[in-house]
Amino acid sequence: MKPLNIAVIGGSIAGLTAACLLARSGHGVRVFERSAGPLAGRGAGIVTHPGLRSVLTRCGSPAGAADLGVTVEGRRVLDRDGQVIAERSLPQILAGWGRLYRLLLDALPSDSISYDTALSSVAHQGDQVVACLANGCRVPADLLVGADGQFSMVRSQFLPTVAPAYAGYVAWRAVVDEAALSPKTREAICGHFAFCLPPGEQILGYPVSGREEGIEAKRRFNAVWYRPTPETALNALLTDTGGVRHALSIPPGRIKAEVLAGMRADAERILAPPFTEVMLRADNPFLQAILDIETPTMVPARGVALLGDAAFVARPHVGMDVTKAMEDAAALVDALDAEAGDVGAALAAFDRRRCAYGAAIVARGRDLGAYLQAQQHGAAERLAAERFRSLEEVVAGTAVPPDVALG
Ligand SMILES: Cc1cc2nc3c(=O)[nH]c(=O)nc-3n(C[C@H](O)[C@H](O)[C@H](O)COP(=O)(O)OP(=O)(O)OC[C@H]3O[C@@H](n4cnc5c(N)ncnc54)[C@H](O)[C@@H]3O)c2cc1C
């Protein structure tokens, strides 16, 4: 196969995975990342699935399952008083996002990524697709991979009507060092994938590996608290300390003091005590609006592929966005290998294989979040959505690949 010249836009999970695998297949790859430097030290927790681990191995990472994250044996549900009201065995490996990011970055030759290099548009010139960068450079390629996340510039240029759809609820995310938690809280939740389901809301949490390198030594606890919120209330929540209104999420450290104080007061009023402690002790809780993004095609133009969040964003209940992004990248490389580098044929095969899967993951997220979303609607919808509030549905379906959860 003739090696291709490939431009990857976005140096996060999807982009790094694609770059590693493409380089290992013999192609020439260059990654263009908008951020000024590596994204290390950021991010919270992720659920790993077998698909993620096998793609990571294909990337050449020496990390086995044991040093990827923390293993929990199962799930438990606490009531408002902190009593365990349900348990289920379900072993899973839970990692810090930064840990996975670092493993991927380490697997990639360091000179193949350019930071502080944002894409501003895509052009076509003859057979080539051209990445037009904000610094004025034009980079011709045989294939351009849009791995530029949920607000993808690549997607919005070719599919301008595809936009994030707000789901009617937000998530507070918090990460806290386990060592900062009381022994009672550690005992109650830190060895489990734990839930508490107050009326109309949901919080879950699980232990994750340390910030980058450490696993057991510096374990942290990662919590996600889903709260129904009318769209009209987002303005106040997402306007930061400097008066800037963020689109759909607000970074740690920029949330207004009164918003944080309100969240903390509600945590004390609503949550089981171990979860309250996590929300109160977390250094830098942050807030994101929950949304769905669904593209009709992952090949929006000749010689252009979309991967990961640039194509589909499912609600976090599915726990699959990172795995999906890595599997998208692997599927693209498999298609190029199978079609011996014929970009057009490979992209058509890739689109057939991954687009329906992405849509299914988004649909699964909608189902799992239907109860939370319905809190904004009438009594009939709330009643219909009660199904996905049952302990059994939540505990069995959250962060489990759909084929496993649906049996
Ligand atoms: C810093 C960070 C922390 C995260 N933490 C978590 C977490 O804790 N848990 C979790 O479940 N998910 C987390 N995510 C999201 C998660 O990575 C994605 O949901 C999933 O892995 C798909 O990844 P992606 O590479 O498609 O998109 P993303 O991870 O969103 O990455 C998109 C990348 O493209 C870059 N980019 C965007 N526009 C341009 C442009 N015009 N030119 C060049 N580059 C551009 C962005 O800077 C970013 O690095 C995080 C993402 C980031 C960026």
Side-chain angles (χ1 to χ4, degrees), residues 230-297:
E231 199 158 2
T232 47
L234 290 182
N235 214 22
L237 291 176
L238 297 177
T239 300
D240 72 16
T241 44
V244 176
R245 164 66 151 94
H246 295 260
L248 288 163
S249 70
I250 180 164
R254 307 275 291 275
I255 302 175
K256 283 186 288 190
E258 64 268 28
V259 172
L260 276 174
M263 178 276 285
R264 289 180 176 133
D266 286 351
E268 290 190 283
R269 192 168 52 80
I270 292 171
L271 301 178
F275 280 113
T276 306
E277 191 180 327
V278 169
M279 296 312 298
L280 297 191
R281 296 214 173 164
D283 283 342
N284 267 322
F286 64 101
L287 185 63
Q288 66 178 116
I290 300 300
L291 48 92
D292 301 311
I293 296 178
E294 206 167 352
T295 181
T297 172

Short mmCIF file of all heavy atoms in Angstrom, two decimals, residues 230-297:
data_model
loop_
_atom_site.label_atom_id
_atom_site.label_comp_id
_atom_site.label_asym_id
_atom_site.label_seq_id
_atom_site.Cartn_x
_atom_site.Cartn_y
_atom_site.Cartn_z
N PRO A 230 -33.88 23.98 33.62
CA PRO A 230 -34.47 24.56 32.41
C PRO A 230 -33.42 25.36 31.63
O PRO A 230 -32.49 25.92 32.23
CB PRO A 230 -35.58 25.49 32.94
CG PRO A 230 -35.44 25.52 34.42
CD PRO A 230 -34.46 24.48 34.86
N GLU A 231 -33.59 25.41 30.32
CA GLU A 231 -32.60 26.09 29.47
C GLU A 231 -32.45 27.55 29.89
O GLU A 231 -31.36 28.12 29.82
CB GLU A 231 -33.04 25.98 28.00
CG GLU A 231 -31.91 26.23 27.05
CD GLU A 231 -32.14 25.63 25.68
OE1 GLU A 231 -33.20 25.03 25.42
OE2 GLU A 231 -31.22 25.80 24.85
N THR A 232 -33.56 28.12 30.38
CA THR A 232 -33.51 29.54 30.76
C THR A 232 -32.59 29.78 31.97
O THR A 232 -32.13 30.89 32.20
CB THR A 232 -34.92 30.03 31.14
OG1 THR A 232 -35.49 29.07 32.02
CG2 THR A 232 -35.81 30.19 29.92
N ALA A 233 -32.33 28.72 32.73
CA ALA A 233 -31.47 28.89 33.91
C ALA A 233 -29.98 28.75 33.57
O ALA A 233 -29.11 29.04 34.40
CB ALA A 233 -31.85 27.86 34.98
N LEU A 234 -29.68 28.30 32.33
CA LEU A 234 -28.28 28.05 31.98
C LEU A 234 -27.46 29.33 31.97
O LEU A 234 -26.27 29.33 32.29
CB LEU A 234 -28.18 27.38 30.60
CG LEU A 234 -28.66 25.93 30.51
CD1 LEU A 234 -28.46 25.41 29.11
CD2 LEU A 234 -27.92 25.04 31.52
N ASN A 235 -28.12 30.42 31.59
CA ASN A 235 -27.41 31.68 31.50
C ASN A 235 -26.70 32.01 32.81
O ASN A 235 -25.50 32.33 32.84
CB ASN A 235 -28.41 32.77 31.15
CG ASN A 235 -27.79 33.82 30.28
OD1 ASN A 235 -26.79 33.55 29.62
ND2 ASN A 235 -28.36 35.01 30.29
N ALA A 236 -27.45 31.91 33.91
CA ALA A 236 -26.87 32.24 35.21
C ALA A 236 -25.78 31.24 35.59
O ALA A 236 -24.72 31.62 36.12
CB ALA A 236 -27.97 32.25 36.27
N LEU A 237 -26.00 29.96 35.30
CA LEU A 237 -25.04 28.93 35.71
C LEU A 237 -23.74 29.01 34.91
O LEU A 237 -22.65 28.75 35.44
CB LEU A 237 -25.63 27.53 35.52
CG LEU A 237 -26.78 27.14 36.44
CD1 LEU A 237 -27.33 25.76 36.06
CD2 LEU A 237 -26.31 27.12 37.90
N LEU A 238 -23.87 29.34 33.62
CA LEU A 238 -22.70 29.25 32.73
C LEU A 238 -22.02 30.59 32.48
O LEU A 238 -21.12 30.70 31.65
CB LEU A 238 -23.11 28.60 31.39
CG LEU A 238 -23.62 27.16 31.49
CD1 LEU A 238 -24.08 26.65 30.12
CD2 LEU A 238 -22.55 26.22 32.05
N THR A 239 -22.46 31.61 33.19
CA THR A 239 -21.75 32.90 33.10
C THR A 239 -20.68 32.93 34.19
O THR A 239 -20.98 32.70 35.36
CB THR A 239 -22.74 34.07 33.27
OG1 THR A 239 -23.72 33.98 32.23
CG2 THR A 239 -22.03 35.41 33.14
N ASP A 240 -19.45 33.16 33.78
CA ASP A 240 -18.35 32.97 34.73
C ASP A 240 -18.08 34.21 35.60
O ASP A 240 -18.76 35.23 35.49
CB ASP A 240 -17.08 32.46 34.02
CG ASP A 240 -16.41 33.53 33.16
OD1 ASP A 240 -16.71 34.72 33.32
OD2 ASP A 240 -15.55 33.15 32.34
N THR A 241 -17.06 34.07 36.43
CA THR A 241 -16.73 35.13 37.38
C THR A 241 -16.39 36.45 36.68
O THR A 241 -16.55 37.52 37.25
CB THR A 241 -15.50 34.71 38.22
OG1 THR A 241 -14.55 34.13 37.32
CG2 THR A 241 -15.85 33.69 39.27
N GLY A 242 -15.96 36.36 35.43
CA GLY A 242 -15.62 37.58 34.68
C GLY A 242 -16.77 38.06 33.81
O GLY A 242 -16.58 38.96 32.99
N GLY A 243 -17.95 37.44 33.93
CA GLY A 243 -19.11 37.88 33.14
C GLY A 243 -19.20 37.24 31.77
O GLY A 243 -20.06 37.58 30.96
N VAL A 244 -18.30 36.29 31.46
CA VAL A 244 -18.32 35.64 30.14
C VAL A 244 -19.31 34.47 30.17
O VAL A 244 -19.26 33.63 31.08
CB VAL A 244 -16.91 35.12 29.77
CG1 VAL A 244 -16.93 34.35 28.46
CG2 VAL A 244 -15.92 36.27 29.72
N ARG A 245 -20.19 34.42 29.18
CA ARG A 245 -21.17 33.32 29.10
C ARG A 245 -20.54 32.20 28.27
O ARG A 245 -20.21 32.38 27.10
CB ARG A 245 -22.46 33.83 28.44
CG ARG A 245 -23.43 32.77 27.93
CD ARG A 245 -24.04 31.92 29.05
NE ARG A 245 -25.35 31.43 28.73
CZ ARG A 245 -25.61 30.23 28.18
NH1 ARG A 245 -24.63 29.38 27.92
NH2 ARG A 245 -26.86 29.89 27.93
N HIS A 246 -20.36 31.02 28.89
CA HIS A 246 -19.79 29.88 28.18
C HIS A 246 -20.91 29.12 27.48
O HIS A 246 -22.06 29.11 27.95
CB HIS A 246 -19.04 28.98 29.15
CG HIS A 246 -17.84 29.67 29.75
ND1 HIS A 246 -16.56 29.47 29.29
CD2 HIS A 246 -17.75 30.62 30.72
CE1 HIS A 246 -15.72 30.24 29.98
NE2 HIS A 246 -16.42 30.95 30.85
N ALA A 247 -20.55 28.47 26.39
CA ALA A 247 -21.60 27.85 25.56
C ALA A 247 -22.29 26.73 26.33
O ALA A 247 -23.47 26.83 26.64
CB ALA A 247 -21.00 27.34 24.27
N LEU A 248 -21.56 25.68 26.64
CA LEU A 248 -22.23 24.53 27.24
C LEU A 248 -21.50 23.96 28.44
O LEU A 248 -21.99 23.03 29.08
CB LEU A 248 -22.45 23.44 26.19
CG LEU A 248 -23.54 23.80 25.16
CD1 LEU A 248 -23.46 22.94 23.93
CD2 LEU A 248 -24.94 23.72 25.78
N SER A 249 -20.33 24.46 28.75
CA SER A 249 -19.68 24.01 29.98
C SER A 249 -18.81 25.14 30.49
O SER A 249 -18.40 26.02 29.72
CB SER A 249 -18.84 22.76 29.75
OG SER A 249 -17.73 23.08 28.98
N ILE A 250 -18.55 25.12 31.77
CA ILE A 250 -17.78 26.20 32.37
C ILE A 250 -16.60 25.57 33.09
O ILE A 250 -16.76 24.59 33.82
CB ILE A 250 -18.69 27.06 33.27
CG1 ILE A 250 -17.94 28.22 33.93
CG2 ILE A 250 -19.40 26.26 34.32
CD1 ILE A 250 -18.87 29.29 34.51
N PRO A 251 -15.41 26.08 32.85
CA PRO A 251 -14.22 25.41 33.40
C PRO A 251 -14.12 25.57 34.92
O PRO A 251 -14.65 26.52 35.49
CB PRO A 251 -13.05 26.11 32.72
CG PRO A 251 -13.59 27.21 31.92
CD PRO A 251 -15.08 27.26 32.06
N PRO A 252 -13.40 24.64 35.55
CA PRO A 252 -13.16 24.74 36.98
C PRO A 252 -12.51 26.08 37.30
O PRO A 252 -11.74 26.60 36.52
CB PRO A 252 -12.18 23.60 37.28
CG PRO A 252 -12.16 22.74 36.08
CD PRO A 252 -12.70 23.52 34.93
N GLY A 253 -12.83 26.63 38.44
CA GLY A 253 -12.19 27.87 38.86
C GLY A 253 -12.87 29.11 38.32
O GLY A 253 -12.55 30.22 38.72
N ARG A 254 -13.81 28.97 37.38
CA ARG A 254 -14.47 30.15 36.79
C ARG A 254 -15.94 30.23 37.19
O ARG A 254 -16.66 31.10 36.74
CB ARG A 254 -14.36 30.10 35.25
CG ARG A 254 -12.95 29.91 34.72
CD ARG A 254 -12.19 31.23 34.59
NE ARG A 254 -12.73 32.04 33.53
CZ ARG A 254 -12.40 31.93 32.26
NH1 ARG A 254 -11.51 31.04 31.89
NH2 ARG A 254 -12.93 32.71 31.35
N ILE A 255 -16.39 29.31 38.04
CA ILE A 255 -17.81 29.29 38.39
C ILE A 255 -18.06 30.32 39.50
O ILE A 255 -17.28 30.42 40.45
CB ILE A 255 -18.22 27.88 38.86
CG1 ILE A 255 -17.92 26.87 37.74
CG2 ILE A 255 -19.70 27.84 39.23
CD1 ILE A 255 -18.16 25.43 38.11
N LYS A 256 -19.17 31.08 39.38
CA LYS A 256 -19.44 32.14 40.35
C LYS A 256 -19.65 31.56 41.74
O LYS A 256 -20.21 30.47 41.91
CB LYS A 256 -20.68 32.92 39.92
CG LYS A 256 -20.39 33.89 38.77
CD LYS A 256 -21.57 34.75 38.45
CE LYS A 256 -22.64 33.93 37.77
NZ LYS A 256 -23.73 34.69 37.20
N ALA A 257 -19.22 32.32 42.76
CA ALA A 257 -19.28 31.84 44.14
C ALA A 257 -20.71 31.48 44.54
O ALA A 257 -20.95 30.46 45.22
CB ALA A 257 -18.72 32.91 45.08
N GLU A 258 -21.69 32.27 44.09
CA GLU A 258 -23.07 31.97 44.50
C GLU A 258 -23.59 30.69 43.86
O GLU A 258 -24.39 29.96 44.46
CB GLU A 258 -24.01 33.16 44.24
CG GLU A 258 -24.21 33.57 42.81
CD GLU A 258 -23.24 34.66 42.35
OE1 GLU A 258 -22.12 34.75 42.90
OE2 GLU A 258 -23.60 35.43 41.43
N VAL A 259 -23.11 30.38 42.65
CA VAL A 259 -23.53 29.14 42.00
C VAL A 259 -22.94 27.95 42.75
O VAL A 259 -23.62 26.96 43.04
CB VAL A 259 -23.10 29.14 40.51
CG1 VAL A 259 -23.34 27.79 39.87
CG2 VAL A 259 -23.83 30.24 39.75
N LEU A 260 -21.66 28.07 43.11
CA LEU A 260 -21.01 26.99 43.88
C LEU A 260 -21.68 26.81 45.24
O LEU A 260 -21.94 25.69 45.68
CB LEU A 260 -19.53 27.33 44.10
CG LEU A 260 -18.57 26.97 42.98
CD1 LEU A 260 -17.19 27.50 43.32
CD2 LEU A 260 -18.53 25.47 42.77
N ALA A 261 -21.99 27.95 45.88
CA ALA A 261 -22.60 27.87 47.21
C ALA A 261 -23.98 27.20 47.12
O ALA A 261 -24.35 26.37 47.98
CB ALA A 261 -22.73 29.26 47.82
N GLY A 262 -24.73 27.52 46.06
CA GLY A 262 -26.05 26.91 45.87
C GLY A 262 -25.92 25.40 45.67
O GLY A 262 -26.68 24.61 46.24
N MET A 263 -24.95 24.99 44.85
CA MET A 263 -24.74 23.56 44.62
C MET A 263 -24.40 22.86 45.94
O MET A 263 -24.94 21.80 46.25
CB MET A 263 -23.62 23.38 43.59
CG MET A 263 -23.25 21.95 43.28
SD MET A 263 -22.09 21.20 44.44
CE MET A 263 -20.55 21.96 43.98
N ARG A 264 -23.53 23.48 46.72
CA ARG A 264 -23.09 22.83 47.97
C ARG A 264 -24.24 22.73 48.96
O ARG A 264 -24.40 21.70 49.64
CB ARG A 264 -21.90 23.58 48.55
CG ARG A 264 -20.65 23.35 47.70
CD ARG A 264 -19.42 24.06 48.24
NE ARG A 264 -18.25 23.73 47.45
CZ ARG A 264 -17.36 24.60 46.99
NH1 ARG A 264 -17.51 25.90 47.22
NH2 ARG A 264 -16.33 24.19 46.28
N ALA A 265 -25.07 23.78 49.03
CA ALA A 265 -26.21 23.73 49.95
C ALA A 265 -27.18 22.62 49.52
O ALA A 265 -27.70 21.88 50.35
CB ALA A 265 -26.91 25.09 49.96
N ASP A 266 -27.40 22.51 48.21
CA ASP A 266 -28.30 21.46 47.72
C ASP A 266 -27.70 20.07 48.00
O ASP A 266 -28.43 19.13 48.31
CB ASP A 266 -28.54 21.61 46.21
CG ASP A 266 -29.48 22.78 45.91
OD1 ASP A 266 -30.07 23.34 46.86
OD2 ASP A 266 -29.62 23.13 44.72
N ALA A 267 -26.39 19.95 47.87
CA ALA A 267 -25.75 18.65 48.15
C ALA A 267 -26.05 18.22 49.59
O ALA A 267 -26.39 17.06 49.86
CB ALA A 267 -24.25 18.73 47.91
N GLU A 268 -25.96 19.17 50.51
CA GLU A 268 -26.21 18.83 51.92
C GLU A 268 -27.68 18.44 52.14
O GLU A 268 -27.99 17.61 52.97
CB GLU A 268 -25.82 20.00 52.81
CG GLU A 268 -24.30 20.16 52.83
CD GLU A 268 -23.82 21.15 53.87
OE1 GLU A 268 -23.94 22.35 53.62
OE2 GLU A 268 -23.32 20.69 54.90
N ARG A 269 -28.54 19.07 51.37
CA ARG A 269 -29.97 18.85 51.55
C ARG A 269 -30.44 17.55 50.90
O ARG A 269 -31.32 16.88 51.40
CB ARG A 269 -30.70 20.04 50.91
CG ARG A 269 -32.17 20.19 51.20
CD ARG A 269 -32.66 21.57 50.72
NE ARG A 269 -32.33 21.88 49.35
CZ ARG A 269 -33.00 21.43 48.28
NH1 ARG A 269 -34.05 20.66 48.44
NH2 ARG A 269 -32.62 21.77 47.07
N ILE A 270 -29.80 17.17 49.78
CA ILE A 270 -30.40 16.15 48.90
C ILE A 270 -29.65 14.82 48.91
O ILE A 270 -30.25 13.76 48.81
CB ILE A 270 -30.43 16.69 47.44
CG1 ILE A 270 -31.42 17.84 47.33
CG2 ILE A 270 -30.78 15.60 46.46
CD1 ILE A 270 -31.36 18.56 45.99
N LEU A 271 -28.32 14.87 49.00
CA LEU A 271 -27.52 13.68 48.69
C LEU A 271 -27.24 12.82 49.92
O LEU A 271 -27.23 13.32 51.06
CB LEU A 271 -26.19 14.09 48.06
CG LEU A 271 -26.27 14.90 46.76
CD1 LEU A 271 -24.86 15.29 46.28
CD2 LEU A 271 -27.00 14.10 45.68
N ALA A 272 -26.95 11.56 49.68
CA ALA A 272 -26.45 10.68 50.74
C ALA A 272 -25.15 11.29 51.28
O ALA A 272 -24.35 11.84 50.51
CB ALA A 272 -26.18 9.29 50.17
N PRO A 273 -24.92 11.19 52.61
CA PRO A 273 -23.76 11.88 53.20
C PRO A 273 -22.40 11.62 52.50
O PRO A 273 -21.63 12.58 52.34
CB PRO A 273 -23.77 11.38 54.65
CG PRO A 273 -25.22 11.08 54.90
CD PRO A 273 -25.78 10.55 53.61
N PRO A 274 -22.10 10.40 52.04
CA PRO A 274 -20.78 10.24 51.39
C PRO A 274 -20.66 11.08 50.12
O PRO A 274 -19.60 11.65 49.83
CB PRO A 274 -20.74 8.74 51.05
CG PRO A 274 -21.69 8.10 52.02
CD PRO A 274 -22.80 9.10 52.21
N PHE A 275 -21.74 11.18 49.36
CA PHE A 275 -21.69 12.00 48.14
C PHE A 275 -21.63 13.49 48.49
O PHE A 275 -20.97 14.26 47.81
CB PHE A 275 -22.89 11.70 47.24
CG PHE A 275 -22.73 10.46 46.41
CD1 PHE A 275 -23.52 9.35 46.64
CD2 PHE A 275 -21.77 10.39 45.42
CE1 PHE A 275 -23.37 8.19 45.88
CE2 PHE A 275 -21.60 9.25 44.65
CZ PHE A 275 -22.41 8.14 44.87
N THR A 276 -22.34 13.87 49.57
CA THR A 276 -22.26 15.27 50.00
C THR A 276 -20.81 15.62 50.29
O THR A 276 -20.30 16.66 49.88
CB THR A 276 -23.11 15.48 51.27
OG1 THR A 276 -24.42 15.02 51.02
CG2 THR A 276 -23.14 16.94 51.68
N GLU A 277 -20.13 14.72 50.99
CA GLU A 277 -18.74 15.00 51.36
C GLU A 277 -17.87 15.17 50.11
O GLU A 277 -17.03 16.08 50.04
CB GLU A 277 -18.20 13.87 52.25
CG GLU A 277 -16.87 14.23 52.86
CD GLU A 277 -16.30 13.12 53.75
OE1 GLU A 277 -17.08 12.38 54.39
OE2 GLU A 277 -15.07 13.01 53.77
N VAL A 278 -18.10 14.33 49.12
CA VAL A 278 -17.32 14.45 47.87
C VAL A 278 -17.57 15.82 47.24
O VAL A 278 -16.62 16.52 46.85
CB VAL A 278 -17.71 13.32 46.88
CG1 VAL A 278 -17.11 13.58 45.50
CG2 VAL A 278 -17.25 11.97 47.42
N MET A 279 -18.84 16.23 47.16
CA MET A 279 -19.15 17.50 46.50
C MET A 279 -18.59 18.68 47.30
O MET A 279 -18.18 19.68 46.72
CB MET A 279 -20.66 17.66 46.29
CG MET A 279 -21.30 16.64 45.36
SD MET A 279 -20.48 16.36 43.77
CE MET A 279 -20.59 17.95 42.97
N LEU A 280 -18.56 18.55 48.62
CA LEU A 280 -18.06 19.68 49.43
C LEU A 280 -16.54 19.74 49.43
O LEU A 280 -15.95 20.82 49.52
CB LEU A 280 -18.56 19.56 50.87
CG LEU A 280 -20.09 19.65 51.10
CD1 LEU A 280 -20.41 19.78 52.58
CD2 LEU A 280 -20.70 20.80 50.33
N ARG A 281 -15.89 18.58 49.34
CA ARG A 281 -14.42 18.58 49.46
C ARG A 281 -13.70 18.72 48.12
O ARG A 281 -12.49 18.94 48.11
CB ARG A 281 -13.97 17.31 50.16
CG ARG A 281 -14.48 17.25 51.57
CD ARG A 281 -13.50 16.57 52.50
NE ARG A 281 -14.00 16.72 53.86
CZ ARG A 281 -13.60 16.02 54.89
NH1 ARG A 281 -12.66 15.11 54.73
NH2 ARG A 281 -14.11 16.22 56.08
N ALA A 282 -14.42 18.53 47.02
CA ALA A 282 -13.74 18.62 45.72
C ALA A 282 -13.19 20.03 45.54
O ALA A 282 -13.87 21.01 45.82
CB ALA A 282 -14.74 18.31 44.61
N ASP A 283 -11.95 20.11 45.06
CA ASP A 283 -11.29 21.41 44.90
C ASP A 283 -11.98 22.27 43.87
O ASP A 283 -12.26 23.43 44.08
CB ASP A 283 -9.85 21.21 44.39
CG ASP A 283 -8.96 20.76 45.51
OD1 ASP A 283 -9.37 20.93 46.66
OD2 ASP A 283 -7.88 20.22 45.22
N ASN A 284 -12.20 21.68 42.73
CA ASN A 284 -12.62 22.47 41.58
C ASN A 284 -13.78 21.81 40.85
O ASN A 284 -13.62 21.38 39.71
CB ASN A 284 -11.44 22.61 40.62
CG ASN A 284 -10.66 23.86 40.90
OD1 ASN A 284 -11.24 24.90 41.23
ND2 ASN A 284 -9.35 23.76 40.77
N PRO A 285 -14.96 21.72 41.48
CA PRO A 285 -16.07 21.11 40.75
C PRO A 285 -16.37 21.92 39.49
O PRO A 285 -16.12 23.13 39.46
CB PRO A 285 -17.24 21.18 41.74
CG PRO A 285 -16.84 22.13 42.79
CD PRO A 285 -15.37 22.28 42.77
N PHE A 286 -16.83 21.27 38.46
CA PHE A 286 -17.21 22.04 37.28
C PHE A 286 -18.54 21.54 36.72
O PHE A 286 -19.04 20.49 37.14
CB PHE A 286 -16.10 22.09 36.22
CG PHE A 286 -15.73 20.78 35.61
CD1 PHE A 286 -16.19 20.42 34.36
CD2 PHE A 286 -14.88 19.92 36.27
CE1 PHE A 286 -15.82 19.22 33.77
CE2 PHE A 286 -14.50 18.70 35.71
CZ PHE A 286 -14.98 18.35 34.46
N LEU A 287 -19.05 22.31 35.79
CA LEU A 287 -20.44 22.15 35.38
C LEU A 287 -20.50 22.02 33.87
O LEU A 287 -19.85 22.77 33.16
CB LEU A 287 -21.17 23.43 35.82
CG LEU A 287 -22.66 23.54 35.64
CD1 LEU A 287 -23.37 22.50 36.47
CD2 LEU A 287 -23.11 24.94 36.07
N GLN A 288 -21.29 21.07 33.38
CA GLN A 288 -21.48 20.99 31.94
C GLN A 288 -22.95 20.73 31.63
O GLN A 288 -23.62 20.00 32.37
CB GLN A 288 -20.61 19.89 31.32
CG GLN A 288 -21.00 18.49 31.75
CD GLN A 288 -20.16 17.40 31.10
OE1 GLN A 288 -19.44 16.68 31.79
NE2 GLN A 288 -20.24 17.26 29.80
N ALA A 289 -23.45 21.36 30.59
CA ALA A 289 -24.81 21.06 30.12
C ALA A 289 -24.74 19.73 29.37
O ALA A 289 -23.82 19.48 28.61
CB ALA A 289 -25.28 22.17 29.20
N ILE A 290 -25.72 18.88 29.60
CA ILE A 290 -25.74 17.58 28.91
C ILE A 290 -26.40 17.76 27.55
O ILE A 290 -27.44 18.42 27.43
CB ILE A 290 -26.50 16.53 29.76
CG1 ILE A 290 -25.79 16.37 31.11
CG2 ILE A 290 -26.57 15.21 29.02
CD1 ILE A 290 -24.35 15.92 31.04
N LEU A 291 -25.78 17.16 26.53
CA LEU A 291 -26.27 17.38 25.18
C LEU A 291 -26.12 16.13 24.32
O LEU A 291 -25.39 15.20 24.68
CB LEU A 291 -25.52 18.55 24.55
CG LEU A 291 -24.01 18.53 24.67
CD1 LEU A 291 -23.36 17.87 23.49
CD2 LEU A 291 -23.50 19.95 24.79
N ASP A 292 -26.83 16.16 23.23
CA ASP A 292 -26.71 15.10 22.22
C ASP A 292 -26.16 15.74 20.94
O ASP A 292 -26.60 16.84 20.59
CB ASP A 292 -28.08 14.52 21.85
CG ASP A 292 -28.81 13.93 23.04
OD1 ASP A 292 -28.21 13.15 23.79
OD2 ASP A 292 -30.00 14.26 23.22
N ILE A 293 -25.24 15.06 20.29
CA ILE A 293 -24.83 15.49 18.94
C ILE A 293 -24.86 14.25 18.05
O ILE A 293 -24.34 13.19 18.42
CB ILE A 293 -23.40 16.09 18.92
CG1 ILE A 293 -23.35 17.36 19.77
CG2 ILE A 293 -22.98 16.39 17.48
CD1 ILE A 293 -21.99 18.00 19.86
N GLU A 294 -25.46 14.43 16.90
CA GLU A 294 -25.63 13.30 16.00
C GLU A 294 -25.42 13.77 14.58
O GLU A 294 -26.12 14.68 14.13
CB GLU A 294 -27.07 12.81 16.16
CG GLU A 294 -27.27 11.39 15.84
CD GLU A 294 -28.64 10.92 16.32
OE1 GLU A 294 -29.36 11.66 17.02
OE2 GLU A 294 -28.98 9.82 15.95
N THR A 295 -24.49 13.18 13.88
CA THR A 295 -24.23 13.58 12.50
C THR A 295 -24.84 12.55 11.55
O THR A 295 -24.87 11.37 11.87
CB THR A 295 -22.70 13.71 12.27
OG1 THR A 295 -22.46 14.12 10.95
CG2 THR A 295 -21.97 12.42 12.50
N PRO A 296 -25.32 12.99 10.38
CA PRO A 296 -25.88 12.00 9.44
C PRO A 296 -24.80 11.20 8.71
O PRO A 296 -25.08 10.17 8.13
CB PRO A 296 -26.66 12.86 8.45
CG PRO A 296 -26.01 14.22 8.51
CD PRO A 296 -25.47 14.37 9.91
N THR A 297 -23.56 11.71 8.72
CA THR A 297 -22.47 10.99 8.05
C THR A 297 -21.15 11.32 8.73
O THR A 297 -20.96 12.45 9.20
CB THR A 297 -22.38 11.34 6.54
OG1 THR A 297 -21.18 10.75 6.00
CG2 THR A 297 -22.33 12.84 6.30
#
